[in-house]
Amino acid sequence: MEKDIFISQFLKLFPEFNDRYIEHMEFNQEFLGHVFFGDEVSTHVERLLQEHSDIEQIEKFFSFFEWMALHSDLYIVQILSTTILYNLGGDIDVLYKADRYMGVHTKKLSVEIEDLHTGKHFS
């Protein structure tokens, strides 16, 4: 199943999230991608961007986000756009810092979600 491959790939790249993943599974009895990536990952990345101290880790996350953006599974792309990028866009300073690390496809999704967030398509 794509969800299993997705979270397995994530945990292989970011083993520091293993304990949080186990807690998430115990609490929810299933993997809820939007919840896990919203509560754990996007808040962690936002903190990294605010502190702007671990550039290597930031780049690693955004490389993974670009992989997500290119994925054929809509669920994975939606986690990126409607959870991770939407959350990062809540703080203009964080979004500005994040923009430098975004790949082409991640940036495209970010612009789309910000356009929706600001109501640009409804004016």
Side-chain angles (χ1 to χ4, degrees):
M1 173 173 255
E2 288 294 319
K3 278 187 201 180
D4 295 334
I5 295 168
F6 168 56
I7 193 62
S8 174
Q9 181 68 23
F10 176 78
L11 293 173
K12 190 181 303 177
L13 290 170
F14 303 97
E16 63 270 25
F17 284 88
N18 275 321
D19 289 344
R20 288 181 248 174
Y21 171 73
I22 291 167
E23 290 171 15
H24 171 86
M25 292 298 290
E26 288 173 353
F27 183 79
N28 296 293
Q29 300 301 305
E30 65 180 315
F31 176 65
L32 303 173
H34 290 280
V35 174
F36 181 76
F37 277 86
D39 290 349
E40 302 296 340
V41 179
S42 70
T43 56
H44 181 75
V45 172
E46 183 175 355
R47 219 174 6 263
L48 285 173
L49 289 165
Q50 287 168 339
E51 295 167 2
H52 211 248
S53 58
D54 193 344
I55 305 304
E56 185 177 323
Q57 185 77 341
I58 293 170
E59 289 173 343
K60 189 174 169 183
F61 273 107
F62 279 92
S63 177
F64 184 75
F65 295 162
E66 186 70 2
W67 174 84
M68 289 174 71
L70 289 166
H71 208 280
S72 60
D73 188 315
L74 182 59
Y75 178 74
I76 293 171
V77 176
Q78 286 176 335
I79 290 172
L80 175 62
S81 63
T82 63
T83 299
I84 298 169
L85 296 175
Y86 181 83
N87 287 349
L88 292 178
D91 180 329
I92 194 70
D93 293 329
V94 168
L95 182 61
Y96 178 75
K97 290 176 183 176
D99 186 70
R100 312 179 213 178
Y101 300 101
M102 290 181 191
V104 173
H105 298 89
T106 306
K107 193 173 290 202
K108 181 178 183 284
L109 287 174
S110 179
V111 168
E112 289 172 3
I113 204 70
E114 287 307 305
D115 286 350
L116 286 171
H117 186 246
T118 60
K120 179 177 178 179
H121 293 292
F122 302 106
S123 332

